[in-house]
Amino acid sequence: MGVGVSNWRLAKVVSRLGEIGVVSGTAIDAVVARRLQLGDADGSIRRALSHFPWPKMAKRFLDNFFIPGGKAPHEPFKLMTLLSLGMKRARVEQMIVANFVEVFLAKEGHRGIVGINYLEKIQLPTLPSLFGAMLAGVDIVLMGAGIPLAIPGTLDRLAHWDPVELNIQVEDNTADQAFVYRLDPREYSSGVRPELSRPKFLAIVASDVIAKTMIRRATGRVDGFVVEGHTAGGHNAPPRRVGQASGAATTGYSDRDIPDIAKIKKLGRPFWLAGGFASPGRLKEALALGANGIQVGTVFAFCDESGIVPAMKEAVLKECINGTLTVTTDFQASPTGYPFKIVSLKNNRTSQSEPGRRERICDLGYLRELYCKDESKVGYRCPSEPVKDYVAKGGREDFTVGKQCLCNGLMATIGLGQSRGDETELPLITAGDDFSFVKHLVKSENTHYSASEAIEYLKPNHS
Ligand SMILES: Cc1cc2nc3c(=O)[nH]c(=O)nc-3n(C[C@H](O)[C@H](O)[C@H](O)COP(=O)(O)O)c2cc1C
């Protein structure tokens, strides 16, 4: 769960309890860099960096971002260079190091399984991120928000230290040019070259058709699937009958959007069901359907160990108990064009999701799309940047309607929101539709619960 919600602390607890703990790899470079600017109070990041195979690279990261004692509250976080096809080595290093740090910490001190989650839609960080996570020995890579055909083969190659490349999607590409991002891992290994093992690859899919496509056309082995329905938190697959149209206002799911589990089972790979499965009954149901288990998000997003700011977790759980919490599938908010679940609170009106609350600023840029400027040049634009800038770059004005800045909003939700003068970026909270676990886990006098209690609720016989 991104960004930073499923952090190393949460993944580590889950993994130690014998489940698969998954960290979010989305924007993890900015997350780790900002945690360092808050002073790395428990020293965890510095400890992880001391295990990074190339100390000089780790030191460059530390020197760039660490502020002993933390930055002053109103001082803005240092911005990283926005990602681009031609990004410099220093920027690539930051992604390698940060992914290493998050996975290292999640895996530290136990033998449990740790995965990392990325979004296919966010392409530029993918290769350095995979490499960094593999340096820390990540066990599983999970990827959705698109059809990640190239990733399984990429993992095979990286495990042999071979150069890798990824075709990058570029809009307005009338001449049909190929745009490729390349990474040669050997260029980053000064002297020491640790052995890398190939993590398992799980594709996150919303239909049997996509699952089948993955098996047939992926560049390497797909080891299994997370089958995610549209009630899940975060981004959802668009409704089938409409298809994905960036920025287009679409509404409503139908029965056609419910994945056909029998067909998935026939593919013969392990699979986990996700989206509204956080109850012992639904877990049993999933197992009866042939699933290896379930992937749950919302129940973990609001537990003690997650990265969401504690006061926000408490507000969400309280409003859930009081019946004032609403979760909507917003078909416009995300610059990716995918539907995105947004939590609204009645009595805590602080969210970015209120219209007109936020001046448009794009300074993290993870969701920028690439577009052809002219014959050979590539430009970058995001439908949630200032409208006039987006339109000046050839973007369609109607694509900007209702767009939220997920990058800044999600960073604020985990306490890493940018300071802008006297103001701080407002949070954006995502969650799935199903909060039925709350009445079982939250006792009236105590509005919080641990990841271990959540697992105990889901698996009563868990020891
Ligand atoms: C706060 C939050 C953030 C999420 N972020 C991501 C993400 O970055 N990538 C992803 O593949 N899934 C993401 N998800 C989806 C979860 O991984 C999981 O599949 C889903 O939440 C399961 O449904 P549930 O919320 O009903 O348990 C997110 C879910 C939540 C609640």
Side-chain angles (χ1 to χ4, degrees), residues 192-211:
V192 189
R193 200 172 287 174
E195 199 167 309
L196 298 178
S197 46
R198 197 267 198 192
K200 294 223 180 315
F201 179 77
L202 302 184
I204 304 167
V205 299
S207 77
D208 59 284
V209 179
I210 304 293

Side-chain angles (χ1 to χ4, degrees), residues 1-3 5 24 26 117-119 142-145 204 226 228 231-235 274-278 295-299 301-302 308 430-434:
M1 292 178 288
V3 168
V5 174
S24 168
T26 306
N117 174 284
Y118 301 108
L119 279 74
L142 301 94
M143 213 153 155
I204 304 167
V226 172
E228 201 184 67
T231 60
H235 284 98
F277 278 89
Q295 173 173 280
V296 294
T298 305
V299 67
F302 300 98
I308 297 182
T430 182
D433 289 335
D434 177 25

Side-chain angles (χ1 to χ4, degrees), residues 104-217:
F104 173 89
L105 292 171
K107 283 185 72 73
E108 191 182 23
H110 65 98
R111 289 166 171 268
I113 301 172
V114 169
I116 193 160
N117 174 284
Y118 301 108
L119 279 74
E120 162 74 6
K121 186 86 185 184
I122 304 184
Q123 291 189 291
L124 291 173
T126 302
L127 300 182
S129 298
L130 291 171
F131 180 42
M134 284 172 69
L135 283 170
V138 74
D139 301 291
I140 305 178
V141 169
L142 301 94
M143 213 153 155
I147 310 178
L149 294 170
I151 306 307
T154 299
L155 298 174
D156 294 335
R157 292 184 66 80
L158 282 174
H160 292 104
W161 286 86
D162 288 336
V164 284
E165 52 181 52
L166 192 63
N167 288 324
I168 303 292
Q169 166 89 27
V170 178
E171 302 298 318
D172 307 339
N173 186 1
T174 44
D176 212 14
Q177 300 172 76
F179 292 94
V180 179
Y181 181 76
R182 294 188 174 81
L183 178 93
D184 184 348
R186 287 172 288 200
E187 280 177 15
Y188 293 85
S189 66
S190 48
V192 189
R193 200 172 287 174
E195 199 167 309
L196 298 178
S197 46
R198 197 267 198 192
K200 294 223 180 315
F201 179 77
L202 302 184
I204 304 167
V205 299
S207 77
D208 59 284
V209 179
I210 304 293
K212 205 180 283 170
T213 304
M214 281 301 303
I215 288 182
R216 284 204 187 134
R217 293 185 35 215

